[in-house]
Amino acid sequence: MLLQTQNNKPNKMAQNLTRSNLFVTFLFILSTFFFRISTSGTDIQLGSSLSVSNLNRTWSSPNNTFSLRFISLNSSSFSLSITYDSVAIWSISTTVDAGATFSLLSNGNLQLLSGAGSVMWQSNTSNSGVSHATLDDSGNFSLKNRSNFVIWSTFDHPTDTIVPSQNFTVGMVLSSGSYSFFLNKTGNLSLKWNNDILYWSLGLNDSVSSNVSNPTLGLQSIGILSLYDDKFTSSVIMAYGSDYAESGDILRFLRLDNDGNLRIYSSAKGSGNVIVRWTAVNDQCQVFGYCGNMGICSYNDSGPVCGCPSENFDHVDPNDNTKGCKLKRAVADCPESVAMLQMDHTKFLTYAPETSNVYYVGISECRGNCLSGGSCVASTILADGSGQCYIKTSNFVSGYQSAALPSTSYVKVCNPIIPNPPPSEQGGERKKLQGWVVAVVVLGTLVALIVLEGSVWWWCCRKSPKFGGLSNQYALLEYASGAPVQFSYKELQEATRNFKEKLGSGGFGAVYKGILANKTVAAVKQLEGIEQGERQFRMEVATISSTHHLNLVRLIGFCSEGKHRLLVYEFMKNGSLDCFLFSTEGDQSSRVLSWKQRFDIALGIARGMTYLHEECRDCIVHCDLKPENILLDDYYSAKVSDFGLAKLINPKDHRYRTLTSVRGTRGYLAPEWIANLPITSKSDVFSFGMVLLEIVSGRRNFDVSNETNGKRFSIWAYEEFEKGNAKNIVDTKLRDCEVDMDQVMRAIEVSFWCIQKTATQRPMMGKVVQMLEGIVEIEKPTIPNVASEGSMSGSVSAFSTLATSAPNPSSSSSFQTTPLTQP
């Protein structure tokens, strides 16, 4: 019985399996049938059309998320677009009139016709086997053949927008007006004006070691812009929106706007709101051509605005200031002489390939060369330490004006020059009248109050012995250009919590972290050894505060109360350069600077020192340049600190100088400090050479180790350079990083030129900048002072002996010796 049951069991299983298979097959056929019905229901057949006359008719995706339709721009202008809610993600750039139609012709060609029957756009897919079209739920509109093979699609022909699921490859272009967005073969993202001027680029970071073979850019649905390539183990993040990975039914898209900026947007379904989540060019005025030809971009309280250089110009379109400006009278038709209109704090944007017309001349030469040059229309001279003069000879000039710009620009116009009126005078007559009334009332009230208060104060305090001193202080601060804020000692005590958090100390005193009353974080330096009188101290501080450069630490204010002398500087988040260069590889808290960061830092120091030596009204010699006095901001840009302080520490009798008064640091002091020679800017050049060598090597120039055969590192480095072993000099912490050996060689050669024994052999800092940038050719340096210990005699050899000892670089030298007569 049991045997029979077992024998019959396979037959029953087979029967059940057969019935099950039949049922599954039936369901499959049924689902396929319904799927085909559904698919055919969303297919757009040949001969279908849309028209402006019926804006309610659309071609939609299966879930109705996306629609292809005409949208109204104004009462007489319309655009054909694919939309998500009301947001266009693909549009034909040509606008049409109220009689326009869009058709999928019987020959498979898409065609947009105006009301007059003119062809405004077409897909050029005639006789390509197109049988139907579809708009899928990702927003892709496609022309397909009977095998559903895609012959043409909007994803393959983007206009100004990329959406998730869309691949943007090399050769594709996003366009908006005169602006274009590209993906290069190297994986770089680029924005160009007029397919020529490259004004923004974003490349792969240093962490990507693979070469790129076939890059593809895509925007993930969570808002991350990623680069894909066959050689990447995973995608590389190029940018991400501020709301990335937030949940909800949200469409995120990348768009090139008509203002030339690339942005990531997000739009929640049904909200109708579009929110910017990422912007490529943070400073809109840096977008080339944003204000049109000869337009000057600046900012007001609401954002960027466009104006003209002066009233010698008119707006091309009075209704749209971004269209640019034109001269009222062409320079070629000047009835009188030609003049150069000067615009302070203004620069004309210069991007590749325009950067060839760059010269290194003074401000008067930059103006004069343009005036005398027939093809020159404008010029810009930078006051950022680079000394660069840009000559504009093109037919398109794009300007930027801001109080923060250290530059002056000139524009060639016909005499007489008619400057723009102040902003208060640019309104209507009624607004002018109201402004004058308000101004008169307010000023009258203020004057009356000031006179009254001043009279009372003078009457009460005129006999006070402090009155004269206070008057002198206020007169001094009024006289000093850009005078710093004066703090009381109590205010700085409170700001630093009674000098609790010490940031460091050096030859001029200790530095403490403080938070000022306006919540600004600052570095407060307590000066030591100040011997000037009150007035002289204030004059020197005023001089320091009037020295402004991108690569100099800014002085905020000071305190001078009795024996208390303090300086208040801007706070540098990343501290001093030595913390990055001389940390050990095993130090878990150490941060390694890439070679690019190091080279940029070296250039920044050189530019800052060039400004102090060659571009200030009075040359400022630092006297204590070292890594501890190079501070790094949030972006690791170098800023030189403690400049100008050497003049505050001079001894009372300036006819003598002893080594106890030397505030420089052993290992960075030029030989003339010891050899009774004049201390000039070339002494700083020597110190810079030592610092530059340390930036390359990550080691102190006076280090002695087995690796250097018991010699100081600076001596050993020159020997390796002579042998052609420059790689041995480079910081070992960079062994696995990308290093530009051409830049390394330039830096090494420049460092050896800077530390020459004789000051006259050392280059000026302006020349150093050019040598580092590769603008001028560098000859092979001769044997510098550090490489020939036996070549020095007398007091100079004493310097060699002192410098060979291992000093403490964070403190100034304090040699005991006989006084040396200062020339």
Side-chain angles (χ1 to χ4, degrees):
M1 189 69 182
L2 181 61
L3 182 61
Q4 288 180 351
T5 303
Q6 288 176 340
N7 288 338
N8 291 335
K9 196 170 183 178
N11 293 331
K12 290 182 179 180
M13 288 178 63
Q15 291 174 2
N16 291 335
L17 206 58
T18 301
R19 290 173 184 172
S20 177
N21 287 342
L22 287 172
F23 181 72
V24 170
T25 303
F26 174 76
L27 286 178
F28 175 77
I29 294 172
L30 188 64
S31 64
T32 304
F33 173 75
F34 280 111
F35 174 77
R36 287 181 176 175
I37 292 176
S38 175
T39 302
S40 62
T42 58
D43 289 350
I44 296 117
Q45 303 302 321
L46 298 180
S48 301
S49 65
L50 300 171
S51 67
V52 174
S53 60
N54 185 5
L55 293 177
N56 293 326
R57 177 172 171 76
T58 65
W59 294 343
S60 300
S61 62
N63 63 4
N64 293 316
T65 300
F66 296 93
S67 298
L68 177 61
R69 60 191 180 93
F70 282 104
I71 58 176
S72 175
L73 303 178
N74 53 53
S75 59
S76 60
S77 183
F78 302 85
S79 172
L80 183 75
S81 304
I82 297 174
T83 62
Y84 172 88
D85 287 347
S86 58
V87 180
I89 58 121
W90 183 89
S91 298
I92 294 175
S93 58
T94 305
T95 58
V96 292
D97 54 29
T101 58
F102 180 71
S103 304
L104 176 57
L105 303 180
S106 57
N107 61 7
N109 194 31
L110 284 172
Q111 198 171 78
L112 177 64
L113 299 179
S114 67
S118 301
V119 177
M120 308 299 291
W121 178 90
Q122 59 183 342
S123 62
N124 296 318
T125 52
S126 301
N127 304 316
S128 299
V130 174
S131 63
H132 63 282
T134 61
L135 177 61
D136 62 29
D137 290 332
S138 64
N140 188 21
F141 179 76
S142 306
L143 299 181
K144 300 179 179 180
N145 61 16
R146 295 186 182 279
S147 301
N148 273 335
F149 179 80
V150 176
I151 295 173
W152 182 95
S153 74
T154 55
F155 274 16
D156 292 333
H157 297 81
T159 53
D160 61 0
T161 305
I162 301 172
V163 295
S165 303
Q166 182 175 359
N167 291 330
F168 188 77
T169 58
V170 176
M172 291 184 178
V173 180
L174 296 187
S175 299
S176 184
S178 300
Y179 299 101
S180 305
F181 172 67
F182 303 87
L183 171 64
N184 300 332
K185 292 180 180 180
T186 59
N188 282 12
L189 312 182
S190 302
L191 287 172
K192 289 186 177 182
W193 175 84
N194 207 28
N195 290 324
D196 181 37
I197 302 295
L198 176 64
Y199 60 89
W200 179 84
S201 180
L202 178 63
L204 296 170
N205 57 42
D206 296 337
S207 63
V208 181
S209 57
S210 303
N211 293 324
V212 180
S213 60
N214 187 29
T216 299
L217 186 70
L219 179 67
Q220 299 181 36
S221 60
I222 60 174
I224 297 178
L225 188 65
S226 301
L227 193 69
Y228 304 86
D229 190 82
D230 297 337
K231 294 188 176 182
F232 293 166
T233 56
S234 61
S235 62
V236 176
I237 296 176
M238 304 298 288
Y240 54 88
S242 57
D243 70 334
Y244 78 98
E246 286 187 9
S247 59
D249 195 353
I250 301 173
L251 174 72
R252 297 176 174 91
F253 56 94
L254 180 75
R255 171 177 291 166
L256 175 62
D257 291 318
N258 58 11
D259 62 3
N261 222 326
L262 187 71
R263 298 178 176 92
I264 294 177
Y265 291 92
S266 66
S267 178
K269 188 172 183 179
S271 68
N273 294 327
V274 178
I275 303 173
V276 178
R277 300 299 185 180
W278 173 82
T279 303
V281 186
N282 292 322
D283 188 344
Q284 182 61 42
C285 284
Q286 296 281 13
V287 173
F288 191 89
Y290 171 66
C291 288
N293 187 28
M294 280 296 174
I296 307 297
C297 181
S298 60
Y299 287 91
N300 60 17
D301 293 339
S302 60
V305 292
C306 296
C308 292
S310 72
E311 290 202 343
N312 297 81
F313 293 81
D314 282 329
H315 284 289
V316 173
D317 184 352
N319 298 318
D320 186 357
N321 291 350
T322 63
K323 298 297 183 182
C325 304
K326 59 181 179 181
L327 280 166
K328 293 179 178 178
R329 185 182 291 273
V331 172
D333 301 329
C334 289
E336 301 178 18
S337 61
V338 178
M340 297 302 291
L341 166 69
Q342 178 174 329
M343 294 182 293
D344 296 327
H345 304 294
T346 304
K347 72 175 181 180
F348 290 116
L349 302 183
T350 303
Y351 299 109
E354 281 194 328
T355 50
S356 57
N357 291 333
V358 181
Y359 303 91
Y360 294 86
V361 296
I363 187 169
S364 58
E365 290 84 355
C366 189
R367 173 187 176 278
N369 289 350
C370 184
L371 180 61
S372 60
S375 60
C376 179
V377 296
S379 64
T380 292
I381 180 74
L382 301 184
D384 61 354
S386 64
Q388 293 177 333
C389 170
Y390 296 95
I391 300 295
K392 311 295 287 188
T393 58
S394 66
N395 294 324
F396 195 100
V397 178
S398 178
Y400 181 12
Q401 187 173 60
S402 170
L405 290 176
S407 57
T408 302
S409 292
Y410 300 92
V411 179
K412 193 179 291 185
V413 298
C414 293
N415 261 324
I417 294 175
I418 311 173
N420 284 324
S424 61
E425 298 179 16
Q426 295 176 2
E429 291 299 325
R430 184 177 178 182
K431 188 175 289 186
K432 287 183 181 180
L433 181 60
Q434 291 175 346
W436 275 111
V437 172
V438 172
V440 169
V441 172
V442 171
L443 285 175
T445 304
L446 286 175
V447 169
L449 290 173
I450 291 172
V451 170
L452 178 62
E453 184 178 353
S455 300
V456 173
W457 182 75
W458 178 81
W459 179 260
C460 296
C461 302
R462 59 194 172 97
K463 295 184 179 180
S464 172
K466 295 182 179 180
F467 180 76
L470 289 173
S471 299
N472 290 335
Q473 290 180 23
Y474 287 119
L476 172 65
L477 294 178
E478 185 177 343
Y479 167 80
S481 174
V485 178
Q486 181 175 358
F487 296 94
S488 68
Y489 185 70
K490 183 178 179 181
E491 286 175 326
L492 296 184
Q493 268 188 317
E494 294 174 352
T496 58
R497 293 182 297 169
N498 200 22
F499 304 100
K500 181 178 181 181
E501 186 175 349
K502 189 174 182 180
L503 298 175
S505 60
F508 299 105
V511 183
Y512 300 88
K513 183 176 180 180
I515 301 177
L516 306 179
N518 63 356
K519 305 304 181 183
T520 299
V521 182
V524 180
K525 179 184 287 287
Q526 279 189 324
L527 296 176
E528 300 172 355
I530 303 297
E531 300 185 28
Q532 281 95 345
E534 179 79 7
R535 182 180 178 84
Q536 182 64 26
F537 173 76
R538 290 173 180 272
M539 288 297 293
E540 297 297 348
V541 169
T543 300
I544 296 171
S545 70
S546 64
T547 306
H548 299 288
H549 189 274
L550 295 174
N551 298 111
L552 299 179
V553 176
R554 184 170 61 88
L555 179 66
I556 297 174
F558 73 102
C559 171
S560 179
E561 289 184 8
K563 65 178 181 179
H564 300 299
R565 303 287 175 86
L566 301 95
L567 297 179
V568 182
Y569 291 99
E570 62 177 324
F571 179 75
M572 294 290 106
K573 178 181 178 181
N574 282 312
S576 56
L577 178 60
D578 61 299
C579 298
F580 293 87
L581 293 182
F582 309 126
S583 57
T584 59
E585 294 186 56
D587 185 1
Q588 296 298 320
S589 63
S590 66
R591 293 165 290 177
V592 178
L593 294 171
S594 68
W595 171 250
K596 182 180 183 305
Q597 289 174 316
R598 295 181 189 223
F599 191 73
D600 289 343
I601 287 169
L603 265 176
I605 301 169
R607 286 169 178 161
M609 295 304 297
T610 299
Y611 179 78
L612 292 176
H613 290 177
E614 303 170 27
E615 296 168 8
C616 286
R617 183 178 59 183
D618 298 315
C619 174
I620 297 177
V621 181
H622 192 291
C623 295
D624 195 20
L625 188 63
K626 58 185 177 181
E628 287 75 11
N629 284 336
I630 307 301
L631 305 183
L632 305 180
D633 65 10
D634 293 5
Y635 305 100
Y636 296 92
S637 297
K639 291 181 180 285
V640 180
S641 69
D642 280 7
F643 60 91
L645 297 190
K647 295 180 73 174
L648 296 175
I649 320 292
N650 284 342
K652 292 178 181 178
D653 190 347
H654 59 81
R655 294 173 299 169
Y656 295 98
R657 177 187 63 190
T658 67
L659 286 180
T660 57
S661 70
V662 173
R663 290 288 173 159
T665 304
R666 296 177 183 176
Y668 303 93
L669 286 173
E672 51 264 31
W673 279 107
I674 314 298
N676 193 21
L677 296 173
I679 301 303
T680 67
S681 60
K682 291 296 186 74
S683 306
D684 283 347
V685 175
F686 183 94
S687 302
F688 174 80
M690 288 298 191
V691 172
L692 182 57
L693 189 59
E694 293 179 337
I695 290 174
V696 174
S697 65
R699 286 176 277 191
R700 294 284 187 187
N701 67 74
F702 43 72
D703 273 355
V704 176
S705 65
N706 293 331
E707 182 184 354
T708 62
N709 300 322
K711 301 177 181 178
R712 276 188 302 152
F713 177 78
S714 51
I715 298 172
W716 175 84
Y718 187 81
E719 293 176 353
E720 291 298 302
F721 167 75
E722 283 276 76
K723 298 174 185 176
N725 299 331
K727 286 186 177 181
N728 292 345
I729 304 175
V730 180
D731 193 342
T732 57
K733 295 190 287 293
L734 297 177
R735 63 166 65 97
D736 298 324
C737 303
E738 183 178 347
V739 176
D740 188 330
M741 287 306 298
D742 288 338
Q743 290 180 347
V744 168
M745 286 300 298
R746 288 207 302 272
I748 292 174
E749 289 174 335
V750 169
S751 70
F752 288 136
W753 271 119
C754 289
I755 59 176
Q756 292 293 310
K757 171 184 175 181
T758 306
T760 55
Q761 291 182 289
R762 304 172 205 150
M764 297 287 287
M765 286 305 305
K767 183 71 173 293
V768 168
V769 172
Q770 296 179 9
M771 293 163 74
L772 287 174
E773 290 178 334
I775 296 173
V776 297
E777 188 176 348
I778 308 174
E779 297 180 5
K780 183 180 178 182
T782 58
I783 300 175
N785 181 38
V786 295
S788 54
E789 291 176 295
S791 67
M792 296 178 289
S793 61
S795 59
V796 180
S797 64
F799 165 78
S800 179
T801 305
L802 288 168
T804 306
S805 62
N808 178 8
S810 63
S811 62
S812 301
S813 59
S814 181
F815 308 131
Q816 299 294 333
T817 184
T818 57
L820 302 173
T821 303
Q822 180 172 331

